Amino acid sequence: MSINKRQFLKIGGAAVASLSLSPALAAGSTSKPISSGSSALKNIIGDVLPISPDERKARIAKAQRLMVEHNIAALILEPGAAMDYFSGIQWWRSERLTAVIIPREGEIGVVCPFFEEPSIRESLAVGKDVRVWQEHESPYALVKQILLERGVAKSGANLAFEHTVRYFVLKGVMELANDMQDLRAEPITLGCRMFKNTHELQLMHKANEITLNAYAHVWSNLQLGMDQNEVKSMMSSAQSQLGGSSVWNMALFNEASAYPHGTRQSQTIREGSIVLMDCGCAVEGYQSDISRTFVFGEPNKQQSKIWNTVRKGQSIAFETAQLGAAAGKVDDAVRQYYVSQGLGPAYKLPGLSHRTGHGIGMEGHESVNFVHGETELLKTGMCFSNEPGIYLPGEFGVRLEDCIYMSSKGPQWFTVPPDSLTDPIGKLAALPL
């Protein structure tokens, strides 16, 4: 009896997916992750160290140096990645203001509702100045009080707001600090968050290890007739069991794979189906983002051609992303190659209808992007996705996505892309040291 490649892999499925990456694989071996099934998936984050209070203090000190450099008196943050980055506070946004104020010099201040103070202090990693407001009081008065006590609420001084701060918050603060000027805080927030240190890179590496292992598990367990919800559930469970938090997943089959971010169409796996997945998780707040495209059964010539073209696009992006290059040149180089293959031009379909990549860190999408016209120069510590997909409307789409970081020697992979559609997982790159 003859068997095809997919059947062969199913027979040997126990040798495809992974509980955790072996030391050889973690060091960049070409070995595949090994596993035997969802019940055997084990948590692999036991050796992870969280960001320490001293690290957060160093971040605040850097922000304060940048504030002096850019003539900014203080920085205002609402709950989100930036607040967590500097203070450790993990909270959500509501109509009740919780804010962190980082002055140009001196201790940070926190403003929150009275009844939320115990919860806020649970994750606060630095500073002790937490000021509370009652339901009938103005939280903005407390913000101004902190500015006055730190000696930065001076006429004409610049008050910087992190770019996601809501308008009603900005308006409430500025109505009381009306002799100050409001500015965008990107010179401070991006000047800190855009450049990851070794510890941050290690956390991202672990998140990518989890997602890659989960892909190996899913690939070895795909079955005829599965719908997208079944596949997403399997991927979600695998990432969670491996230790990932804030897990997210997308699965698109057949014609639906030509929609980069999905469709409501009902989808099931059949022989020859394209299965496009885009998934990730977080470890201590730091994100992974990996896309893989499989074929269930034997790929046809067009599927193989487009997959190989995308893989070549990834290589071109990686090779172009050199220190000192403008980030937009990465996108330009990929599109130039695609045009030579009869795709595009620019964002036209069939071709690449989205940017080649985006910044990544504590948020899945951060500045800077691999997109046409981006003039920001690539520097050590920047991190990006590399995902130059190709989409053929009415037929299928292919996306391969692996994240990279800029080292002192140039671009480095977190996960090395696969080289073959018949062996479509890839491998974990060496741990950033």
Side-chain angles (χ1 to χ4, degrees):
M1 178 182 69
S2 63
I3 59 174
N4 63 25
K5 175 71 173 180
R6 179 67 199 177
Q7 292 168 325
F8 173 78
L9 287 173
K10 294 299 290 183
I11 291 172
V16 177
S18 171
L19 308 181
S20 61
L21 296 180
S22 67
L25 190 59
S29 163
T30 57
S31 303
K32 294 177 65 177
I34 306 297
S35 149
S36 59
S38 61
S39 62
L41 293 171
K42 304 239 191 264
N43 187 300
I44 60 172
I45 66 168
D47 59 344
V48 168
L49 296 176
I51 300 297
S52 69
D54 283 343
E55 288 176 284
R56 296 190 197 278
K57 290 177 183 177
R59 293 170 176 181
I60 291 169
K62 181 178 181 180
Q64 291 177 322
R65 291 194 298 272
L66 289 171
M67 280 188 259
V68 171
E69 181 181 331
H70 292 277
N71 191 28
I72 290 173
L75 172 63
I76 308 294
L77 309 171
E78 276 203 273
M83 182 179 284
D84 186 0
Y85 178 86
F86 288 109
S87 72
I89 294 175
Q90 297 174 1
W91 204 243
W92 61 87
R93 299 184 184 196
S94 73
E95 75 282 6
R96 298 181 175 98
L97 178 66
T98 294
V100 166
I101 300 91
I102 303 178
R104 182 163 52 196
E105 56 183 282
E107 184 184 4
I108 71 169
V110 181
V111 170
C112 71
F114 167 78
F115 63 91
E116 304 286 23
E117 180 184 5
S119 300
I120 291 293
R121 287 191 180 276
E122 281 184 345
S123 56
L124 176 62
V126 293
K128 298 179 181 178
D129 187 1
V130 179
R131 306 191 185 192
V132 300
W133 56 279
Q134 302 291 353
E135 294 278 59
H136 66 285
E137 296 176 331
S138 168
Y140 310 114
L142 294 178
V143 174
K144 184 174 181 181
Q145 185 182 65
I146 291 171
L147 296 174
L148 286 167
E149 291 181 13
R150 302 300 191 269
V152 297
K154 298 177 181 179
S155 179
N158 295 316
L159 190 55
F161 291 81
E162 198 266 341
H163 76 283
T164 67
V165 169
R166 294 167 294 179
Y167 176 71
F168 78 84
V169 175
L170 184 149
K171 184 173 181 289
V173 172
M174 296 310 298
E175 283 179 347
L176 294 183
N178 55 18
D179 57 346
M180 300 181 74
Q181 303 295 319
D182 63 276
L183 295 177
R184 292 171 67 89
E186 276 88 342
I188 312 306
T189 53
L190 294 186
C192 294
R193 292 182 56 203
M194 189 186 298
F195 308 103
K196 280 69 175 179
N197 64 20
T198 299
H199 189 185
E200 292 175 290
L201 296 177
Q202 290 169 346
L203 294 174
M204 293 175 69
H205 185 267
K206 181 61 71 171
N208 279 278
E209 179 182 355
I210 287 168
T211 302
L212 191 69
N213 272 284
Y215 267 125
H217 170 73
V218 169
W219 163 240
S220 69
N221 286 283
L222 291 177
Q223 295 181 18
L224 192 69
M226 278 185 168
D227 64 31
Q228 68 269 33
N229 290 326
E230 290 176 292
V231 174
K232 288 193 294 183
S233 177
M234 180 164 51
M235 185 69 179
S236 178
S237 176
Q239 290 193 91
S240 295
Q241 288 181 69
L242 289 161
S245 62
S246 302
V247 169
W248 58 272
N249 304 284
M250 184 180 74
L252 302 169
F253 308 156
N254 310 315
E255 295 85 352
S257 62
Y259 296 79
H261 280 165
T263 171
R264 294 181 180 179
Q265 298 174 19
S266 178
Q267 307 154 44
T268 57
I269 295 177
R270 56 182 185 254
E271 283 295 328
S273 282
I274 284 277
V275 177
L276 189 160
M277 299 184 67
D278 188 353
C279 308
C281 69
V283 170
E284 293 295 330
Y286 285 83
Q287 304 287 320
S288 63
D289 190 356
I290 302 176
S291 295
R292 290 291 181 261
T293 302
F294 312 133
V295 172
F296 188 87
E298 290 293 335
N300 62 38
K301 289 183 179 179
Q302 187 182 30
Q303 290 169 337
S304 296
K305 178 182 177 182
I306 296 299
W307 193 98
N308 289 332
T309 302
V310 172
R311 181 64 187 89
K312 177 66 174 177
Q314 267 197 313
S315 294
I316 290 171
F318 183 83
E319 292 160 5
T320 307
Q322 298 298 320
L323 292 171
K329 296 300 182 184
V330 176
D331 187 81
D332 293 342
V334 172
R335 293 185 196 280
Q336 183 178 7
Y337 167 65
Y338 282 0
V339 168
S340 76
Q341 302 301 302
L343 299 163
Y347 297 94
K348 291 184 178 179
L349 296 174
L352 174 56
S353 54
H354 56 73
R355 62 198 171 197
T356 295
H358 54 78
I360 188 169
M362 290 186 73
E363 294 174 287
H365 289 192
E366 297 183 353
S367 295
V368 166
N369 298 312
F370 288 151
V371 65
H372 176 71
E374 176 56 70
T375 59
E376 185 75 34
L377 303 182
L378 302 183
K379 303 178 184 71
T380 302
M382 289 180 168
C383 299
F384 301 92
S385 70
N386 179 347
E387 50 177 314
I390 294 175
Y391 310 97
L392 286 63
E395 298 183 56
F396 64 90
V398 171
R399 183 160 67 251
L400 300 175
E401 177 184 15
D402 295 87
C403 290
I404 67 172
Y405 62 96
M406 302 302 300
S407 76
S408 60
K409 298 179 181 179
Q412 305 291 329
W413 296 107
F414 284 107
T415 53
V416 181
D419 286 323
S420 168
L421 183 51
T422 57
D423 188 15
I425 300 302
K427 63 184 180 182
L428 189 67
L431 182 71
L433 299 174

